Amino acid sequence: MEPLITLVGVTLVLGICGALGVRRLRPWPVALRGGLAAMFALTGTVHFVGMREELVAMVPPALPAPGLLVTVTGVLELVGAAALLWTRTAPWSAAGLTVLLLAMFPANVHLALSGADLAAHQELVPRTALQAVFLAATVTVAATHLHRARRPSPDTDGSGVGGEGVRPVQ
């Protein structure tokens, strides 16, 4: 639940700062990027301190070297969090984190289904819903940047040369 609280809380705080006049935080995708960066910084950190043993235990037994997998995914989450904060790398980071979330989902399924009691099996639905929220956020960041990259910039007239009244050299 902490990752969701972090994502929503930081996104809201940054969004409010943007609404109050902090220009760089005005676009909502920037606030969402900040929320995702905070969330992945948190989740990446617990791969090394706090919950490492629990995360190693979540790795499905069919996968080799659970400790190494937890380390690698933790590093990828931390690098992804940092890359979300730079506009040029944000869409690539969001896309990579989307793939990472999808790749790690089997560990959530394994954890929910490996419990002997019914309560453990019922954890799968909330875990899946939470994962869907995180995926929606990463996909939104990646898609927003792709959409902006395809739009012609306001200083061009569509010719790729410059603004209105500027003619290409012939």
Side-chain angles (χ1 to χ4, degrees):
M1 189 57 73
E2 290 86 357
L4 179 63
I5 293 168
T6 302
L7 172 63
V8 172
V10 171
T11 300
L12 282 174
V13 167
L14 294 177
I16 290 168
C17 290
L20 293 174
V22 179
R23 288 182 56 101
R24 293 186 60 83
L25 298 176
R26 215 171 268 162
W28 67 267
V30 174
L32 182 58
R33 281 178 24 212
L36 278 168
M39 183 194 84
F40 278 109
L42 171 69
T43 59
T45 300
V46 300
H47 281 70
F48 303 100
V49 286
M51 290 185 57
R52 182 168 177 78
E53 294 308 315
E54 291 90 338
L55 294 174
V56 169
M58 282 178 65
V59 177
L63 297 175
L68 177 62
L69 290 173
V70 168
T71 298
V72 169
T73 55
V75 168
L76 290 172
E77 287 183 21
L78 292 170
V79 169
L84 281 169
L85 298 175
W86 190 30
T87 303
R88 289 182 180 230
T89 56
W92 299 103
S93 175
L97 289 167
T98 299
V99 171
L100 186 62
L101 285 168
L102 292 170
M104 292 188 314
F105 186 69
N108 287 309
V109 173
H110 171 69
L111 178 68
L113 297 181
S114 65
D117 60 349
L118 183 60
H121 293 293
Q122 291 174 342
E123 267 190 49
L124 186 57
V125 172
R127 284 181 174 277
T128 302
L130 201 55
Q131 197 82 352
V133 170
F134 300 153
L135 283 167
T138 57
V139 168
T140 298
V141 168
T144 300
H145 283 273
L146 283 173
H147 176 69
R148 286 186 178 181
R150 292 182 185 214
R151 276 192 322 206
S153 65
D155 62 340
T156 66
D157 59 5
S159 67
V161 177
E164 286 185 27
V166 177
R167 296 183 184 184
V169 177
Q170 296 184 10

